[in-house]
Amino acid sequence: MNISSLHGLSVPLRDHVRYRTRRLSTRRRSIAFSSRHETTAIERIYVINLDRAQERWIAVHRELGRLREAAGHPLHSLARRFPAIDARYLQGPPPPDLLKPTYTLAEQLLVDPHPRLAIDGATRATRIDMTPQEVAVALSHIHVWQLIAASDAPYTLVLEDDAYITRTCMSVLEKAWCDIQASSDAGHPVDLLYLSYQETGEETEPPRRTRSLLRRPARGMWQLSGYVLSQAGAQKLLDQMPAHGPIDLWINQQFGRLHVQMTDRPVIEQRPGISSSNSYSVMPVLAKVGALRREAPQVFQHRPTREPILVIGDPGTGLTTVAKALSVLGLRCASDLITLPAHETRALARGSRRRLFDAYVNIGSLTPREVAGIVSSTRVRLIMTTATATSEPLSSFKEAWGLQRPQQRLLLPADDPDPWQTLARFLACDYPTHPWPHQPEQGQRHVTARSHSDVIASGRPLAWDTSPWIIQRTDWPGLMPKTPQQQDDALQAGQEAIAWQEGTRLEDSHWFLREDTFPSNRALFRPGNATLPQHGPASLTLRVEATRVRDLTGAAIASRPSFTYGSFSGCLRVPSGPGLVTGLFLHRNGPRQEIDIEILGRDTTCMLINVFYNPGTPGTRLEHGYRGTPTVIDLGFDASESLHDYEIDWQPDYIRWKVDGKTVHERVLWDPTPIPDQPLEFNVNLWSSESTEFAGPLDKQALPAVLEMTSLRAHSPAHAWKQGEPSL
């Protein structure tokens, strides 16, 4: 588990210093390692390494080459590379005799207690599904344990490929191994020795110093970047199969069956500057139950290239999919357009840095002659999609293809067995963890650069996130769709709705009352705070009520289905007062996409509209951004004085926000983001923000606060519904 990535923290400067000074070792040889089949010595080293990360194996192999075992041979002579299980190629559930890919929140809290959460019936009932990355990591370690148990090596060092050996490691092991040998001679052999670790929870007092450099774990332990496992210890772990949950969590539960030791300080560390591609299944659950109170803003690390990318190909060769893949990599991608705006075409042809976009996919106006001119006069990368690996490049673009240098061009067939690897190698970027985003072919669309006179009630923009999927230029009005009337009529056909009206109950198959929260919310949502009388408006109440995780409780209603496009509205009278937030919005995570209406109690004459966009298909864990792209709209009335109808009209090429049936704001493609395109759940809620800068300071004396509501309606194409309670 990469703790620094888990908490969203940058690697401290001291860790960089440790890494840079690792070669200043006080000792480079240790009796702990031996190639002479000693009775108690580390005779083998396994390095868990993905096939697509050969450079990491080379780095670890080089690292081991500067150190020596007892007889003076380099440690890499003991090393074996173990090809790690790749999460991208997992097919179906893991072998049931080795791993059950679920665990409970109670098991997490047993190892890593949280002061706001108790191990009770609710946490025992909260089951968590492991992510594919967690499953792959667990299976990799289990398979290494099988090799260790079947070997004749008394002890084996297991390293993950992002580990490095600190300058004190060999000297610490030299001294500690004497204690391990003495323990073995006394009939108490060590089964597991942690060399890389982070202890869980907060330490109340420092460990008592002893003459030994070893101690027993007193609390839970994270990380399996570097540990020594005996042959007998490996067999003991295998005897407890199947494991369940993340492997570094599960192994804590076996401490009662093993003789476990740890060095008095970590002597193997994770290399700084290597970001973890793993996603952690417990994090959204901790956010939902209220264990996390703050959201750390995420920043996209880097883009794969500064050179523009042109993608051409015949229809049906995966052009729309390639556009989505380039977007997932952090590129602003103009795709499937009949024509580019004239100023963008000029900027591309001139090689200007004033370009708005990084990649251009399936652009009808980029003729073979224009593409040849761009290739010959500027530095670009050219990608051509084909149906199969044996297909010939398009004859119409033969001139441009021939002008481009081989290292600057790529033939990407639709039947490529590993398109991420092909694309990542071409762009010299890391292999993504996300699934390849297969998309139906969209075809070229009629759009035009919108004039400023077309902008509807632009409002007052607030500070935006910095993101590769946001165009920061305020003079750019986006791309307006020119949708034929018959296409517009088709969008409206086949619509179905779920609705609630005052005086009726919420249909369980359509709606549910939330019992959760999110990090920046001061309140925990509770069903008891929603009142739906037989006569008159329903109400959602925010009140002072202490729980284990929050000192306020609020209320929220959400749709059980998720929707892709449609009209979503509610008739509301909002409460006023600093710190209060009324939300009517569409939302999802993995990837995070969101379309908001929020009315802040500090000024109920305005509403805040917002869009969060991250690309990818379901399962793509891109959550970058915590402010989105907010804009303040003047309502022209006080929303706390009477009921009004608020609506989000969300279509493939635009979003319109309406109040009492009148459009008050509109966003089109790349204005300033793409339009969200994944299934979203519909919500209405009343909460209080942790951020006083955002919502103002809450006056608890003014509570309870009440949101009145007379109707909710979700009107969407029937084929775009996704049934079931939305996932986190």
Side-chain angles (χ1 to χ4, degrees), residues 420-663:
W420 268 139
Q421 178 168 299
T422 302
L423 193 59
R425 283 179 176 174
F426 178 64
L427 299 178
C429 64
D430 289 340
Y431 192 116
T433 61
H434 320 297
W436 181 250
H438 291 286
Q439 301 281 296
E441 206 80 334
Q442 188 167 19
Q444 294 173 352
R445 297 164 291 170
H446 290 271
V447 297
T448 183
R450 187 170 56 158
S451 67
H452 288 281
S453 61
D454 294 324
V455 177
I456 301 174
S458 59
R460 177 169 56 88
L462 302 183
W464 291 345
D465 282 323
T466 299
S467 162
W469 309 294
I470 298 174
I471 291 180
Q472 296 288 343
R473 279 184 31 194
T474 56
D475 62 339
W476 164 250
L479 295 171
M480 176 178 286
K482 296 166 64 176
T483 307
Q485 183 62 45
Q486 61 268 27
Q487 184 177 342
D488 192 56
D489 293 341
L491 286 173
Q492 302 302 321
Q495 301 273 317
E496 290 191 9
I498 62 171
W500 168 85
Q501 297 288 333
E502 63 177 303
T504 63
R505 62 187 293 272
L506 288 175
E507 290 289 342
D508 289 342
S509 60
H510 293 159
W511 310 95
F512 69 100
L513 297 171
R514 302 205 76 104
E515 295 185 78
D516 54 21
T517 186
F518 49 90
S520 58
N521 185 3
R522 293 185 60 181
L524 176 70
F525 294 134
R526 284 198 159 174
N529 287 342
T531 304
L532 291 90
Q534 292 184 351
H535 303 286
S539 64
L540 304 182
T541 302
L542 179 75
R543 56 170 49 96
V544 178
E545 181 182 3
T547 68
R548 292 187 66 93
V549 295
R550 298 290 193 267
D551 56 0
L552 306 174
T553 60
I557 298 173
S559 65
R560 290 195 183 276
S562 294
F563 309 93
T564 309
Y565 311 124
S567 172
F568 307 87
S569 63
C571 190
L572 315 173
R573 184 173 77 85
V574 308
S576 64
L580 302 177
V581 184
T582 297
L584 184 84
F585 61 99
L586 297 142
H587 171 83
R588 72 165 296 113
N589 280 327
R592 182 180 182 182
Q593 295 188 357
E594 188 170 330
I595 307 172
D596 291 342
I597 290 175
E598 290 179 313
I599 300 177
L600 307 183
R602 68 193 303 179
D603 184 358
T604 51
T605 66
C606 299
M607 77 175 188
L608 188 72
I609 63 97
N610 205 348
V611 172
F612 292 82
Y613 179 84
N614 291 271
T617 54
T620 303
R621 293 183 176 269
L622 291 176
E623 315 294 334
H624 296 279
Y626 69 110
R627 290 176 306 196
T629 54
T631 298
V632 176
I633 305 296
D634 185 8
L635 291 170
F637 57 81
D638 189 334
S640 68
E641 293 182 350
S642 58
L643 289 158
H644 291 273
D645 192 74
Y646 304 90
E647 179 184 347
I648 298 170
D649 182 12
W650 168 40
Q651 301 300 338
D653 293 327
Y654 65 83
I655 306 168
R656 291 175 183 150
W657 288 264
K658 300 179 181 180
V659 178
D660 295 328
K662 178 183 177 182
T663 299

Side-chain angles (χ1 to χ4, degrees), residues 200-233:
T200 64
E202 296 183 0
E203 193 169 12
T204 56
E205 59 182 28
R208 186 174 57 186
R209 287 287 181 182
T210 65
R211 298 182 65 180
S212 174
L213 294 178
L214 300 177
R215 57 187 175 97
R216 287 181 178 273
R219 297 175 288 142
M221 303 279 281
W222 292 133
Q223 293 190 12
L224 289 175
S225 295
Y227 60 96
V228 176
L229 186 63
S230 73
Q231 182 189 33

